[in-house]
Amino acid sequence: MENYISELPFSDEPNSYGHFMKIDKILFNGQSEYQKMLVINNKKFGNVLILDGFFQVSELDEYLYHEPLVQPAMFSHPNPRNVLIIGGGDGGALEEVLKHKTVEKAVMVELDGDVIEVSKKYLKSICGNAFSDRRTEIIVGDGRKFVEKTKEKFDVIIIDLTDPFGPSKMLYTKEFYRAVSKASTSNGVVALHTESPLLAPKAFNVIIKTLKSVFKHVNVHLGFVNTYATTWSFANASNSTDVKALNPYDMKKICKERGVTGLKYYAPEFYPNAFEMTNQMKQLLEKDAKISTDKDPLDIDADVKAV
Ligand code: SAM
C-alpha cells in the first residue's frame, strides 16, 4: 500500500483536528455588535448557525442539545411556572421550555438581538413559534447584569451560552453562579451545558468544580451532538433537588399531566441511563481544578489549545 500518510494534513499546530461542513448556501453573513454571525445551509445538517466561527446549532440535530439541556431540569421541578433562559438566542431552549403547560412565563435574556432576528428567519424548524408565544418575554441584554439586578425568582434557570470566551466569559464564574442561585426559588433547578469532557477536559472540570462551590446538588450527564462532532456534557445544579432522582414512571406521568409532546431524545425507559458518567469523566472530576472566579475566569482557549 503506497505511503499516503505523509500527504494527510497532520500538523503539530494546536487545534490540529476539527470537523467541517460544506457550505451549500450562505443564507446570512454579518457582524452584530457582539459577534460574527453566519447562517449556512448544508445538505445533511440543514440550516446551521455559526457565531464567531463556532458551530452553535443545526436543524438536523438541535434536539440532541436542547432536550438534554432543558428537559431534566423541567421534569425534576414539581411545578415549573416561571422560567428564565440566559442566552439561547436560537430559540431552541425556549421551545423546549414552552412544551410544559405549567409554564406561565418564560423570560429570555439574550445579549444579541440580531441572533434572535436571524434565528426567527432561518431557524424556524428549531424555534417554531416560541418567540411569539404569549408566555414569552424577550429581554435583549447581558444575562449577568439581569440576574444580578432582578427581584424575580425563577423555578428553572437555563443557561444556554456560547463557549466561555468573549461576551459569555464572565458567566462561567462563581460570582455569576451565586447570583443565579439567588434568582432561583427555594426549590429552583439550574441547567447549563458544560463543554466537552473529551475535547475540553480542563474547562469541563473547572465548570463542574465551580458549580459545586455554589450548589449542593450538581449532576452531570452526557450526550453526543453531531454538530459539535463530539460528546457534549450538561449539568443540573440545585440547592434542594437532586435531578437524578426522577424515574421513568414519573416522567411518563409528567408528560401526560403537562401535555409534553414531541420529544425526540427522551423516552421514559431511556431517561435514567442519561445520568451515567463514564469512567473517564469520573477520573477527570477526581482531579484538582481551579474555581473560575471574576478575578481568574475560565479561559476555554488555553484549554482547547492544550489538547
Ligand atoms: N448551543 C450553543 C452552545 O452550546 O454553544 C449556544 C447557543 S445560543 C446561540 C448562545 C447564545 O449566548 C448566543 O445567542 C449569544 O449571543 C448568547 N450570549 C453570549 N454572551 C451572553 C451574555 N453575556 N448574556 C446573554 N446572552 C449571551
Side-chain angles (χ1 to χ4, degrees):
M1 182 169 70
E2 77 277 12
N3 168 18
Y4 66 90
I5 290 279
S6 53
E7 286 133 46
L8 288 182
F10 286 160
S11 92
D12 55 3
E13 278 299 303
N15 290 347
S16 60
Y17 68 85
H19 78 110
F20 74 92
M21 287 184 199
K22 184 168 164 291
I23 298 181
D24 291 309
K25 199 157 172 243
I26 293 184
L27 300 170
F28 179 86
N29 183 6
Q31 164 82 39
S32 76
E33 192 187 338
Y34 300 97
Q35 45 209 341
K36 288 189 195 61
M37 293 169 52
L38 184 62
V39 182
I40 64 161
N41 178 272
N42 166 278
K43 284 203 180 65
K44 172 58 87 185
F45 282 83
N47 291 356
V48 187
L49 172 66
I50 299 158
L51 295 178
D52 279 344
F54 282 77
F55 288 121
Q56 298 295 311
V57 67
S58 78
E59 288 184 305
L60 173 74
D61 69 356
E62 59 79 25
Y63 67 95
L64 291 178
Y65 171 85
H66 289 120
E67 284 190 36
L69 173 71
V70 172
Q71 294 305 348
M74 292 297 287
F75 279 128
S76 60
H77 189 284
N79 184 20
R81 288 178 301 165
N82 202 20
V83 178
L84 170 64
I85 297 169
I86 299 173
D90 51 57
L94 177 62
E95 198 265 343
E96 289 298 329
V97 162
L98 294 171
K99 283 177 177 158
H100 294 251
K101 300 291 169 266
T102 51
V103 173
E104 293 162 7
K105 184 162 88 164
V107 179
M108 171 191 275
V109 184
E110 162 57 57
L111 181 71
D112 195 336
D114 290 345
V115 174
I116 295 176
E117 293 317 311
V118 160
S119 302
K120 277 183 194 168
K121 192 161 175 211
Y122 298 109
L123 300 177
K124 191 78 179 144
S125 69
I126 296 176
C127 60
N129 299 319
F131 287 116
S132 54
D133 188 296
R134 60 173 178 70
R135 296 169 289 171
T136 297
E137 190 183 317
I138 304 287
I139 298 172
V140 176
D142 178 78
R144 175 153 178 172
K145 286 201 183 90
F146 174 84
V147 159
E148 287 174 339
K149 276 209 204 96
T150 185
K151 298 272 174 287
E152 277 194 82
K153 297 284 179 198
F154 296 92
D155 299 312
V156 172
I157 298 181
I158 311 280
I159 306 173
D160 181 14
L161 292 165
T162 43
D163 297 313
F165 73 94
S168 62
K169 186 162 185 159
M170 300 314 280
L171 287 82
Y172 287 82
T173 69
K174 178 173 189 153
E175 292 85 349
F176 171 66
Y177 292 142
R178 271 212 194 110
V180 167
S181 171
K182 246 175 92 221
S184 306
T185 49
S186 56
N187 61 349
V189 184
V190 177
L192 65 160
H193 80 80
T194 47
E195 295 297 329
S196 167
L198 221 54
L199 297 184
K202 278 209 208 102
F204 167 71
N205 201 357
V206 166
I207 299 171
I208 300 301
K209 293 275 192 312
T210 306
L211 284 169
K212 287 186 171 173
S213 72
V214 174
F215 294 98
K216 201 162 137 228
H217 298 285
V218 176
N219 278 298
V220 190
H221 55 282
L222 282 179
F224 185 80
V225 184
N226 293 58
T227 299
Y228 305 152
T230 184
T231 302
W232 206 249
S233 66
F234 306 87
N236 289 111
S238 170
N239 284 315
S240 62
T241 309
D242 176 355
V243 171
K244 219 174 161 176
L246 201 70
N247 68 47
Y249 169 74
D250 293 345
M251 192 174 145
K252 248 188 186 150
K253 201 162 128 279
I254 292 170
C255 282
K256 208 153 161 271
E257 283 163 2
R258 297 185 192 172
V260 177
T261 56
L263 295 181
K264 293 199 271 187
Y265 184 79
Y266 281 116
E269 56 285 356
F270 163 78
Y271 184 85
N273 315 332
F275 287 91
E276 297 318 321
M277 272 216 259
T278 61
N279 255 348
Q280 181 249 354
M281 280 168 78
K282 284 189 187 135
Q283 287 154 9
L284 188 50
L285 291 176
E286 277 155 16
K287 286 189 185 149
D288 279 345
K290 76 173 190 181
I291 303 282
S292 168
T293 62
D294 285 357
K295 273 213 193 73
D296 180 17
L298 169 62
D299 171 0
I300 185 92
D301 266 348
D303 184 18
V304 172
K305 289 222 170 70
V307 168

